Amino acid sequence: MLELYGTTISSRLLLGTARYPSPAILAEAVRRSQTAIVTVSLRRETAGGKTGGAFFEMIRDLGVRVLPNTAGCHSVSEAVLTAKMAREVFATNWIKVEVIGHHDTLQPDVFALVEAARILTAEGFEVFPYTTDDLVVAEKLLEAGCKVLMPWCAPIGSAAGPLNLTALRAMRAHFPDVPLVVDAGIGRPSHAATVMELGYDAVLLNTAVSGAADPAAMAGAFAKAIEAGNEAFYAGMLEPRDMAVPSTPVIGKAVFA
């Protein structure tokens, strides 16, 4: 079981809700993923004349916990205002904070992120910050009041998988008691299994599922991979060796003259 801000969660897969072919396919993907948390972008769903109200009602009907996010925000003021609006719409203090600093890579503006996290935490929010794998930034986010960290493993939507395993290992080792959720860059179930084998607590997915030919089937595949990676980590995996080690013992082997 996973604990986030004092709440016990039954699944280690968090699922985004953007860009699915239809509401029915989204609902089936949520079911197959067995997720207990979905993320929703308030700005995305209310922009451009979209019927945000109907979408939000459909999300509520899924019977899972909603983690609103500030996707599309590029400043502290935008992120804070969006978070406050999301709290009103979804009646939750949970907020995933994104403050984008680079249009092409969608890399977070970590300076604005820390400031937004500090403001929102002071106002009673429980912040899930989308950040990089930088240890100093992570320390600043924890000092700002965050109790969960959400580092990327590659740029949003890139499907590149973990680009810097050394940095991800270092973050896990440096923050052994902080819930760490890999957010952004995962494209395949094997990528998810890899980061879970490092000891990460959960994975947040969107494009890897919504962009698949069969999103529901892909959601199920990710659920299995995440569970397998988590079980493997706690089972204790063999580390790579520099030489061959026989699986069959040679001591006591019969010798024929």
Side-chain angles (χ1 to χ4, degrees), residues 60-135:
R60 290 190 186 96
D61 290 342
L62 294 175
V64 294
R65 183 155 188 153
V66 174
L67 173 59
N69 69 46
T70 64
C73 293
H74 291 79
S75 69
V76 173
S77 59
E78 279 186 300
V80 169
L81 177 59
T82 302
K84 292 179 178 179
M85 293 171 62
R87 179 157 62 180
E88 293 297 319
V89 172
F90 294 106
T92 179
N93 287 325
W94 279 19
I95 188 71
K96 177 191 167 189
V97 178
E98 298 180 27
V99 186
I100 300 303
H102 193 277
H103 290 281
D104 293 332
T105 65
L106 301 181
Q107 180 167 330
D109 178 341
V110 294
F111 305 101
L113 174 64
V114 170
E115 180 60 21
R118 194 182 311 280
I119 293 170
L120 291 170
T121 298
E123 297 198 17
F125 284 89
E126 295 175 323
V127 176
F128 295 69
Y130 163 61
T131 184
T132 63
D133 53 20
D134 186 283
L135 296 182

Side-chain angles (χ1 to χ4, degrees), residues 65-242:
R65 183 155 188 153
V66 174
L67 173 59
N69 69 46
T70 64
C73 293
H74 291 79
S75 69
V76 173
S77 59
E78 279 186 300
V80 169
L81 177 59
T82 302
K84 292 179 178 179
M85 293 171 62
R87 179 157 62 180
E88 293 297 319
V89 172
F90 294 106
T92 179
N93 287 325
W94 279 19
I95 188 71
K96 177 191 167 189
V97 178
E98 298 180 27
V99 186
I100 300 303
H102 193 277
H103 290 281
D104 293 332
T105 65
L106 301 181
Q107 180 167 330
D109 178 341
V110 294
F111 305 101
L113 174 64
V114 170
E115 180 60 21
R118 194 182 311 280
I119 293 170
L120 291 170
T121 298
E123 297 198 17
F125 284 89
E126 295 175 323
V127 176
F128 295 69
Y130 163 61
T131 184
T132 63
D133 53 20
D134 186 283
L135 296 182
V136 176
V137 174
E139 290 277 14
K140 297 297 183 183
L141 287 167
L142 295 176
E143 291 171 7
C146 298
K147 296 182 180 179
V148 175
L149 297 173
M150 303 184 79
W152 71 353
C153 72
I156 293 174
S158 67
L163 298 180
N164 192 339
L165 287 173
T166 299
L168 290 174
R169 284 193 186 95
M171 180 167 279
R172 178 71 283 177
H174 199 69
F175 304 106
D177 301 320
V178 177
L180 299 180
V181 182
V182 171
D183 176 18
I186 293 214
R188 301 184 178 194
S190 58
H191 297 159
T194 295
V195 297
M196 294 302 291
E197 288 174 358
L198 296 179
Y200 277 72
D201 297 285
V203 169
L204 194 158
L205 304 164
N206 194 151
T207 308
V209 173
S210 65
D214 186 339
M218 187 61 74
F222 270 108
K224 295 171 185 173
I226 290 168
E227 182 179 358
N230 180 250
E231 289 187 5
F233 173 75
Y234 285 105
M237 295 170 292
L238 287 177
E239 293 300 318
R241 297 163 173 168
D242 293 331

